[in-house]
């Protein structure tokens, strides 16, 4: 199904897409015909990116009308999934069948394919980003052909998974799954930033998944997500880090209602109802926000956090909250965690780009020299282009694009800025 001049905006409303045509194919055959006949084409997921990574002046494809499917292979330990499925829908189906993903991001509202294409992640010293769970992928190539790549078998696989939407229209992903598990979530408040930075390794090794929230003007709150069977033995003491356990459910932004947050206070529950910070049945906020995030090599964690803390007076007036997490290294060429364990510093800004830009510029001046890689789907100034030299396989990715899409059908202004046409 195609709609002329359909205007679509992203979740935050800061990007309005104006493609020549918007398509909602109801079958793989229809998608193949659309791609084969297009001059330029991009696929839009749930619109949770904050920049123009999905934009096009050609044909925009939305996969919301393809039938969602999940096929589990217990012997292989995998699930083959429709790429456009939202993580919340996938997670509930996996859990019902007795399986789980090892990590989920803060928002379960986003699509699996979009999360993988942009290097989106959860948290935990031992947990890789979602793209690292991909064992196989199927996509429609520029000629309308269906292409399949497999981990360990296809030479282009490691380059295609975090593909920025530039390799093809992804229709199916096969991901690693594990037996389902329960998680208990605790929030520890009143932690001084000096304690968070000085005891960084202790803090982020204290749970299966750990996040620290701060507005850079005061204390931090540490959200600990522990495997339920280890919760009582592993939970830190009440005076850990000089803070105190929360006695009521919390929201990452102090003062906001915790109604839309996942259950806390140590009540155990299924992995997909605890690992995200927000429940899928609620909109996390009004969308009146901008987001930035930077992946820093783990050895530079203390230096990076200290530098951002020094910028607190500049950041605090324009940030709603900032989140610090850890992500394990992977082998995917354009993953911001490629070949290095990382600490990520995330900023949820107010929805005023002019007010935010001076603070964002200062953050980039401090973090880019430390090897920071911006998240592909967030807001930036110097942006990924400034960090491209830190990706050892950037040249190989350019060559992959030339092989897989010599017509440049899947490239847009965002991709061409990174990998200019020769």
């Amino acid at each position: 199904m195609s709609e002329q001049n359909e205007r679509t905006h992203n979740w935050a409303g800061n990007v309005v897409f104006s493609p020549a045509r918007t398509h909602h194919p109801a079958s793989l055959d229809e998608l193949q015909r659309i791609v084969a006949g297009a001059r330029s084409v991009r696929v839009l997921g749930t619109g949770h990116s904050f920049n123009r990574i999905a934009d096009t002046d050609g044909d925009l494809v939305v996969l919301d009308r393809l039938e969602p499917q999940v096929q589990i292979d217990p012997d292989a330990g995998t699930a083959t999934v429709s790429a456009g499925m939202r993580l919340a829908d996938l997670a509930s189906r996996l859990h019902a069948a007795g399986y789980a993903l090892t990590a989920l991001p803060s928002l379960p509202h986003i699509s699996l394919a979009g999360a993988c294409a942009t290097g989106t992640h959860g948290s935990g010293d031992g947990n890789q980003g979602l793209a690292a769970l991909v064992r196989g992928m199927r996509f429609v190539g520029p000629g309308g052909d269906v292409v399949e790549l497999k981990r360990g078998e296809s030479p282009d696989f490691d380059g295609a998974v975090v593909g920025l939407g530039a390799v093809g229209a992804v229709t199916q992903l096969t991901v690693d799954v594990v037996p389902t598990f329960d998680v208990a979530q605790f929030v520890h408040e009143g932690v001084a930033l000096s304690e968070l930075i000085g005891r960084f390794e202790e803090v982020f090794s204290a749970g299966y998944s750990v996040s620290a929230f701060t507005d850079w003007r005061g204390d931090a709150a540490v959200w600990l997500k522990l495997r339920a069977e280890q919760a009582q033995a592993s939970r830190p003491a009440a005076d850990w880090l000089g803070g105190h356990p929360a006695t009521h459910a919390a929201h990452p932004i102090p003062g906001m209602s915790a109604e839309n947050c996942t259950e806390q206070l140590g009540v155990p529950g299924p992995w997909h109802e605890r690992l995200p910070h927000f429940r899928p049945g609620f909109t996390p906020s009004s969308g009146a926000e901008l987001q930035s995030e930077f992946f820093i090599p783990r050895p530079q964690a203390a230096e990076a956090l200290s530098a951002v803390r020094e910028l607190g007076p500049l950041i605090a007036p324009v940030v709603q909250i900032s989140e610090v997490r850890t992500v394990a290294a992977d082998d995917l060429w354009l993953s911001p965690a490629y070949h290095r364990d990382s600490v990520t510093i995330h900023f949820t800004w107010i929805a005023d780009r002019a007010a935010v830009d001076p603070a964002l510029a200062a953050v980039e001046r401090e973090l880019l020299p430390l090897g920071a890689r911006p998240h592909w789907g967030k807001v930036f100034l110097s942006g990924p282009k400034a960090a491209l030299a830190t990706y050892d396989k950037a040249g190989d990715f350019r060559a992959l694009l030339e092989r897989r899409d010599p017509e440049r059908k899947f490239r847009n202004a965002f991709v061409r800025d990174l990998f200019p046409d020769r």
Side-chain angles (χ1 to χ4, degrees), residues 25-43:
S27 68
L28 177 60
D29 287 345
E30 186 179 354
L31 174 61
Q32 290 179 269
R33 290 195 298 271
I34 291 166
V35 171
R39 171 188 58 82
S40 176
V41 62
R42 296 289 287 181
V43 177

PDB file of all heavy atoms in Angstrom, residues 25-43:
ATOM      1  N   PRO A  25       3.973  -1.964   2.919  1.00  0.00           N
ATOM      2  CA  PRO A  25       3.729  -3.253   2.257  1.00  0.00           C
ATOM      3  C   PRO A  25       3.126  -4.269   3.219  1.00  0.00           C
ATOM      4  O   PRO A  25       3.476  -4.316   4.404  1.00  0.00           O
ATOM      5  CB  PRO A  25       5.128  -3.682   1.801  1.00  0.00           C
ATOM      6  CG  PRO A  25       6.062  -2.937   2.701  1.00  0.00           C
ATOM      7  CD  PRO A  25       5.407  -1.635   2.982  1.00  0.00           C
ATOM      8  N   ALA A  26       2.218  -5.089   2.685  1.00  0.00           N
ATOM      9  CA  ALA A  26       1.562  -6.116   3.488  1.00  0.00           C
ATOM     10  C   ALA A  26       2.147  -7.495   3.244  1.00  0.00           C
ATOM     11  O   ALA A  26       1.694  -8.475   3.846  1.00  0.00           O
ATOM     12  CB  ALA A  26       0.063  -6.128   3.185  1.00  0.00           C
ATOM     13  N   SER A  27       3.143  -7.596   2.351  1.00  0.00           N
ATOM     14  CA  SER A  27       3.756  -8.888   2.060  1.00  0.00           C
ATOM     15  C   SER A  27       5.191  -8.669   1.593  1.00  0.00           C
ATOM     16  O   SER A  27       5.567  -7.564   1.183  1.00  0.00           O
ATOM     17  CB  SER A  27       2.975  -9.623   0.967  1.00  0.00           C
ATOM     18  OG  SER A  27       3.106  -8.947  -0.277  1.00  0.00           O
ATOM     19  N   LEU A  28       5.956  -9.763   1.632  1.00  0.00           N
ATOM     20  CA  LEU A  28       7.332  -9.697   1.150  1.00  0.00           C
ATOM     21  C   LEU A  28       7.363  -9.405  -0.341  1.00  0.00           C
ATOM     22  O   LEU A  28       8.190  -8.608  -0.815  1.00  0.00           O
ATOM     23  CB  LEU A  28       8.051 -11.016   1.445  1.00  0.00           C
ATOM     24  CG  LEU A  28       9.486 -11.139   0.926  1.00  0.00           C
ATOM     25  CD1 LEU A  28      10.388 -10.055   1.512  1.00  0.00           C
ATOM     26  CD2 LEU A  28      10.044 -12.528   1.238  1.00  0.00           C
ATOM     27  N   ASP A  29       6.466 -10.008  -1.099  1.00  0.00           N
ATOM     28  CA  ASP A  29       6.420  -9.754  -2.543  1.00  0.00           C
ATOM     29  C   ASP A  29       6.201  -8.275  -2.836  1.00  0.00           C
ATOM     30  O   ASP A  29       6.835  -7.702  -3.727  1.00  0.00           O
ATOM     31  CB  ASP A  29       5.303 -10.577  -3.196  1.00  0.00           C
ATOM     32  CG  ASP A  29       5.648 -12.054  -3.289  1.00  0.00           C
ATOM     33  OD1 ASP A  29       6.839 -12.386  -3.116  1.00  0.00           O
ATOM     34  OD2 ASP A  29       4.734 -12.865  -3.531  1.00  0.00           O
ATOM     35  N   GLU A  30       5.299  -7.656  -2.079  1.00  0.00           N
ATOM     36  CA  GLU A  30       5.027  -6.236  -2.299  1.00  0.00           C
ATOM     37  C   GLU A  30       6.254  -5.391  -1.955  1.00  0.00           C
ATOM     38  O   GLU A  30       6.592  -4.446  -2.669  1.00  0.00           O
ATOM     39  CB  GLU A  30       3.830  -5.803  -1.448  1.00  0.00           C
ATOM     40  CG  GLU A  30       3.382  -4.374  -1.721  1.00  0.00           C
ATOM     41  CD  GLU A  30       2.192  -3.970  -0.887  1.00  0.00           C
ATOM     42  OE1 GLU A  30       1.625  -4.818  -0.168  1.00  0.00           O
ATOM     43  OE2 GLU A  30       1.821  -2.769  -0.947  1.00  0.00           O
ATOM     44  N   LEU A  31       6.931  -5.746  -0.884  1.00  0.00           N
ATOM     45  CA  LEU A  31       8.153  -5.031  -0.519  1.00  0.00           C
ATOM     46  C   LEU A  31       9.209  -5.173  -1.613  1.00  0.00           C
ATOM     47  O   LEU A  31       9.872  -4.191  -1.977  1.00  0.00           O
ATOM     48  CB  LEU A  31       8.697  -5.568   0.809  1.00  0.00           C
ATOM     49  CG  LEU A  31      10.055  -5.021   1.252  1.00  0.00           C
ATOM     50  CD1 LEU A  31      10.013  -3.507   1.461  1.00  0.00           C
ATOM     51  CD2 LEU A  31      10.515  -5.726   2.536  1.00  0.00           C
ATOM     52  N   GLN A  32       9.361  -6.357  -2.164  1.00  0.00           N
ATOM     53  CA  GLN A  32      10.343  -6.570  -3.224  1.00  0.00           C
ATOM     54  C   GLN A  32      10.036  -5.694  -4.443  1.00  0.00           C
ATOM     55  O   GLN A  32      10.945  -5.108  -5.042  1.00  0.00           O
ATOM     56  CB  GLN A  32      10.360  -8.047  -3.634  1.00  0.00           C
ATOM     57  CG  GLN A  32      10.950  -8.972  -2.587  1.00  0.00           C
ATOM     58  CD  GLN A  32      10.925 -10.426  -3.017  1.00  0.00           C
ATOM     59  OE1 GLN A  32       9.970 -11.151  -2.752  1.00  0.00           O
ATOM     60  NE2 GLN A  32      11.953 -10.851  -3.724  1.00  0.00           N
ATOM     61  N   ARG A  33       8.765  -5.608  -4.804  1.00  0.00           N
ATOM     62  CA  ARG A  33       8.394  -4.770  -5.954  1.00  0.00           C
ATOM     63  C   ARG A  33       8.670  -3.288  -5.683  1.00  0.00           C
ATOM     64  O   ARG A  33       9.152  -2.563  -6.560  1.00  0.00           O
ATOM     65  CB  ARG A  33       6.909  -4.977  -6.284  1.00  0.00           C
ATOM     66  CG  ARG A  33       6.587  -6.344  -6.867  1.00  0.00           C
ATOM     67  CD  ARG A  33       5.201  -6.356  -7.496  1.00  0.00           C
ATOM     68  NE  ARG A  33       4.153  -6.083  -6.505  1.00  0.00           N
ATOM     69  CZ  ARG A  33       3.548  -7.013  -5.776  1.00  0.00           C
ATOM     70  NH1 ARG A  33       3.889  -8.296  -5.918  1.00  0.00           N
ATOM     71  NH2 ARG A  33       2.591  -6.690  -4.918  1.00  0.00           N
ATOM     72  N   ILE A  34       8.388  -2.859  -4.487  1.00  0.00           N
ATOM     73  CA  ILE A  34       8.634  -1.457  -4.137  1.00  0.00           C
ATOM     74  C   ILE A  34      10.123  -1.138  -4.244  1.00  0.00           C
ATOM     75  O   ILE A  34      10.524  -0.137  -4.853  1.00  0.00           O
ATOM     76  CB  ILE A  34       8.123  -1.166  -2.712  1.00  0.00           C
ATOM     77  CG1 ILE A  34       6.597  -1.230  -2.669  1.00  0.00           C
ATOM     78  CG2 ILE A  34       8.609   0.200  -2.233  1.00  0.00           C
ATOM     79  CD1 ILE A  34       6.041  -1.280  -1.262  1.00  0.00           C
ATOM     80  N   VAL A  35      10.945  -1.989  -3.648  1.00  0.00           N
ATOM     81  CA  VAL A  35      12.395  -1.739  -3.658  1.00  0.00           C
ATOM     82  C   VAL A  35      12.936  -1.790  -5.081  1.00  0.00           C
ATOM     83  O   VAL A  35      13.722  -0.924  -5.494  1.00  0.00           O
ATOM     84  CB  VAL A  35      13.121  -2.753  -2.754  1.00  0.00           C
ATOM     85  CG1 VAL A  35      14.641  -2.636  -2.936  1.00  0.00           C
ATOM     86  CG2 VAL A  35      12.742  -2.542  -1.291  1.00  0.00           C
ATOM     87  N   ALA A  36      12.537  -2.792  -5.842  1.00  0.00           N
ATOM     88  CA  ALA A  36      13.040  -2.933  -7.212  1.00  0.00           C
ATOM     89  C   ALA A  36      12.687  -1.720  -8.064  1.00  0.00           C
ATOM     90  O   ALA A  36      13.473  -1.297  -8.924  1.00  0.00           O
ATOM     91  CB  ALA A  36      12.476  -4.203  -7.838  1.00  0.00           C
ATOM     92  N   GLY A  37      11.526  -1.124  -7.836  1.00  0.00           N
ATOM     93  CA  GLY A  37      11.087  -0.008  -8.665  1.00  0.00           C
ATOM     94  C   GLY A  37      11.499   1.357  -8.166  1.00  0.00           C
ATOM     95  O   GLY A  37      11.238   2.363  -8.836  1.00  0.00           O
ATOM     96  N   ALA A  38      12.138   1.422  -7.020  1.00  0.00           N
ATOM     97  CA  ALA A  38      12.480   2.714  -6.426  1.00  0.00           C
ATOM     98  C   ALA A  38      13.823   3.227  -6.938  1.00  0.00           C
ATOM     99  O   ALA A  38      14.740   2.452  -7.220  1.00  0.00           O
ATOM    100  CB  ALA A  38      12.518   2.597  -4.912  1.00  0.00           C
ATOM    101  N   ARG A  39      13.927   4.538  -7.018  1.00  0.00           N
ATOM    102  CA  ARG A  39      15.215   5.180  -7.295  1.00  0.00           C
ATOM    103  C   ARG A  39      16.039   5.281  -6.016  1.00  0.00           C
ATOM    104  O   ARG A  39      17.252   5.065  -6.013  1.00  0.00           O
ATOM    105  CB  ARG A  39      14.980   6.586  -7.867  1.00  0.00           C
ATOM    106  CG  ARG A  39      16.247   7.444  -7.990  1.00  0.00           C
ATOM    107  CD  ARG A  39      15.912   8.867  -8.369  1.00  0.00           C
ATOM    108  NE  ARG A  39      15.014   9.497  -7.400  1.00  0.00           N
ATOM    109  CZ  ARG A  39      15.429  10.048  -6.250  1.00  0.00           C
ATOM    110  NH1 ARG A  39      16.700  10.018  -5.911  1.00  0.00           N
ATOM    111  NH2 ARG A  39      14.548  10.617  -5.445  1.00  0.00           N
ATOM    112  N   SER A  40      15.372   5.629  -4.936  1.00  0.00           N
ATOM    113  CA  SER A  40      15.997   5.774  -3.617  1.00  0.00           C
ATOM    114  C   SER A  40      14.997   5.305  -2.585  1.00  0.00           C
ATOM    115  O   SER A  40      13.808   5.643  -2.668  1.00  0.00           O
ATOM    116  CB  SER A  40      16.384   7.238  -3.369  1.00  0.00           C
ATOM    117  OG  SER A  40      16.905   7.404  -2.066  1.00  0.00           O
ATOM    118  N   VAL A  41      15.441   4.548  -1.594  1.00  0.00           N
ATOM    119  CA  VAL A  41      14.504   3.978  -0.626  1.00  0.00           C
ATOM    120  C   VAL A  41      15.169   3.866   0.743  1.00  0.00           C
ATOM    121  O   VAL A  41      16.357   3.562   0.849  1.00  0.00           O
ATOM    122  CB  VAL A  41      13.990   2.591  -1.101  1.00  0.00           C
ATOM    123  CG1 VAL A  41      15.120   1.586  -1.222  1.00  0.00           C
ATOM    124  CG2 VAL A  41      12.900   2.068  -0.177  1.00  0.00           C
ATOM    125  N   ARG A  42      14.377   4.163   1.773  1.00  0.00           N
ATOM    126  CA  ARG A  42      14.801   3.957   3.151  1.00  0.00           C
ATOM    127  C   ARG A  42      13.658   3.303   3.913  1.00  0.00           C
ATOM    128  O   ARG A  42      12.485   3.438   3.557  1.00  0.00           O
ATOM    129  CB  ARG A  42      15.157   5.280   3.833  1.00  0.00           C
ATOM    130  CG  ARG A  42      16.342   5.994   3.224  1.00  0.00           C
ATOM    131  CD  ARG A  42      17.647   5.289   3.524  1.00  0.00           C
ATOM    132  NE  ARG A  42      18.061   5.461   4.910  1.00  0.00           N
ATOM    133  CZ  ARG A  42      19.184   4.944   5.419  1.00  0.00           C
ATOM    134  NH1 ARG A  42      19.973   4.197   4.657  1.00  0.00           N
ATOM    135  NH2 ARG A  42      19.502   5.160   6.675  1.00  0.00           N
ATOM    136  N   VAL A  43      14.020   2.598   4.988  1.00  0.00           N
ATOM    137  CA  VAL A  43      13.025   1.943   5.836  1.00  0.00           C
ATOM    138  C   VAL A  43      12.952   2.685   7.164  1.00  0.00           C
ATOM    139  O   VAL A  43      13.985   2.977   7.785  1.00  0.00           O
ATOM    140  CB  VAL A  43      13.384   0.466   6.068  1.00  0.00           C
ATOM    141  CG1 VAL A  43      12.367  -0.180   7.007  1.00  0.00           C
ATOM    142  CG2 VAL A  43      13.430  -0.286   4.746  1.00  0.00           C
TER     143      VAL A  43
END
